[in-house]
């Protein structure tokens, strides 16, 4: 049952990614050129509403579907890894025009060269893991 | 217009944005965090990377739920483009079309993805393959280094008012601006 719910949440997310055009290479380019409000409106409204949802859950101690406390883990403190890692990610996001969610939506949409991007991103993650403790 | 015709149009930001929040909220109520790039690490672990590298030595079965989400995303990508759309062309700003034409991407405004990069024909060129592979590599490497991607940092992290996520998102833009403004003219 839980698995079906995860699958349906994913289906909803995938549909939203392609229908919002957030998975379009062109929209990402346009966003980095500051030529349209579209992506900013989308991310902005998602975050604005997300801040309210997150606040309400914490403030009123709202329970999960299974009756437990909802724990939202804070991110580890730091600066360098976020700015450097983030910039590396940004270079790739703009070049491939896709981040990890949209990549998979594009595979489903039938843009098969994206499979190269996915394979390379898995490899990139592997290389990060390899270098992390060195 | 019938409801289905409305759905088949591209969705405006004020519909899409709140739906992204809904996805995050549903996952929170399932006691899970919204973060797609973790799946890349899980896929490494499934491929046996844990045998050699400590970073991938974890019980990936606990991440199965997220892999199911990503399978759903693939299905959603199919449904969204094949069943819920008539016309996939992305109506980008006129100035963007002009700029991209200069770079040789002539289908801006007429397609969902540039044919020069995302057609089977394109993959016959080593240069294009290199662009896709380097792009993917940077995404995979950078997202793990930064501890998250657009969903984990830009949506969940900022929603939880996390300073590290704000720094990461600033990084996303530093990288993205360098790529599109400084490097694209050299690459294309």
């Amino acid at each position: 049952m839980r698995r079906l719910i995860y699958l349906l949440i994913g289906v909803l997310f995938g549909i939203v990614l392609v229908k919002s055009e957030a998975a379009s290479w062109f929209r990402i380019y346009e966003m980095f050129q500051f030529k349209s409000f579209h992506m900013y409106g989308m991310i902005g409204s998602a975050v604005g509403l997300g801040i309210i949802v997150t606040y309400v859950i914490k403030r009123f101690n709202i329970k999960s579907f299974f009756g437990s406390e909802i724990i939202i883990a804070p991110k580890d403190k730091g600066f360098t890894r976020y700015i450097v890692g983030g910039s590396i990610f940004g270079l790739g996001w703009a070049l491939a025009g896709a981040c990890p969610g949209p990549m998979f939506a594009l595979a489903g949409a039938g843009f098969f060269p994206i499979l190269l991007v996915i394979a390379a991103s898995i490899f990139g993650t592997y290389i990060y893991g390899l270098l992390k403790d060195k | 217009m019938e409801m289905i015709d409305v759905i088949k149009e591209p969705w405006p930001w004020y519909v899409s944005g709140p739906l992204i929040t809904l996805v995050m909220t549903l996952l929170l109520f399932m006691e899970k965090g919204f973060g797609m790039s973790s799946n890349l690490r899980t896929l490494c672990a499934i491929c046996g990377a844990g045998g050699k590298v400590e970073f991938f030595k974890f019980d990936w079965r606990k991440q199965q739920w997220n892999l199911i989400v990503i399978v759903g995303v693939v299905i959603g990508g199919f449904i969204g483009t094949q069943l819920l759309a008539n016309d996939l062309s992305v109506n980008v700003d006129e100035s963007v079309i002009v700029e991209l034409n200069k770079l040789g991407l002539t289908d801006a405004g007429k397609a969902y993805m540039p044919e020069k990069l995302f057609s089977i024909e394109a993959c016959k060129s080593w240069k294009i393959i290199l662009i896709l592979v380097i792009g993917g590599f940077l995404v995979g490497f950078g997202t793990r280094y930064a501890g998250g991607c657009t969903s984990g940092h830009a949506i969940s992290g900022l929603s939880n008012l996390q300073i590290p996520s704000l720094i990461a998102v600033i990084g996303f833009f530093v990288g993205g601006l360098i790529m599109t403004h400084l490097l694209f003219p050299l690459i294309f």
Side-chain angles (χ1 to χ4, degrees), chain A residues 51-71:
Chain A
I51 289 172
I52 296 170
V53 167
T54 308
Y55 175 79
V56 168
I57 286 174
K58 286 180 174 174
R59 174 71 178 75
F60 299 100
N61 200 13
I62 293 174
K63 298 285 187 280
S64 75
F65 290 142
F66 313 111
S68 310
E69 195 179 344
I70 294 177
I71 299 157

Side-chain angles (χ1 to χ4, degrees), chain B residues 21-87:
Chain B
T21 313
L22 175 65
V23 169
M24 178 189 82
T25 307
L26 288 171
L27 286 173
L28 284 176
F29 277 89
M30 294 295 286
E31 298 171 14
K32 303 293 180 198
F34 182 34
M36 291 300 117
S37 66
S38 307
N39 287 305
L40 302 174
R41 185 183 176 203
T42 307
L43 288 168
C44 285
I46 290 176
C47 294
K52 287 198 192 91
V53 183
E54 194 63 35
F55 186 64
F56 302 108
K57 228 174 262 171
F58 63 96
D59 186 7
W60 60 263
R61 283 171 192 84
K62 290 205 174 106
Q63 288 295 314
Q64 250 175 1
W65 68 272
N66 213 350
L67 291 176
I68 298 172
V69 171
I70 214 77
V71 169
V73 171
V74 174
I75 299 169
F78 175 82
I79 294 173
T81 50
Q82 312 300 320
L83 308 178
L84 298 179
N86 293 324
D87 177 10

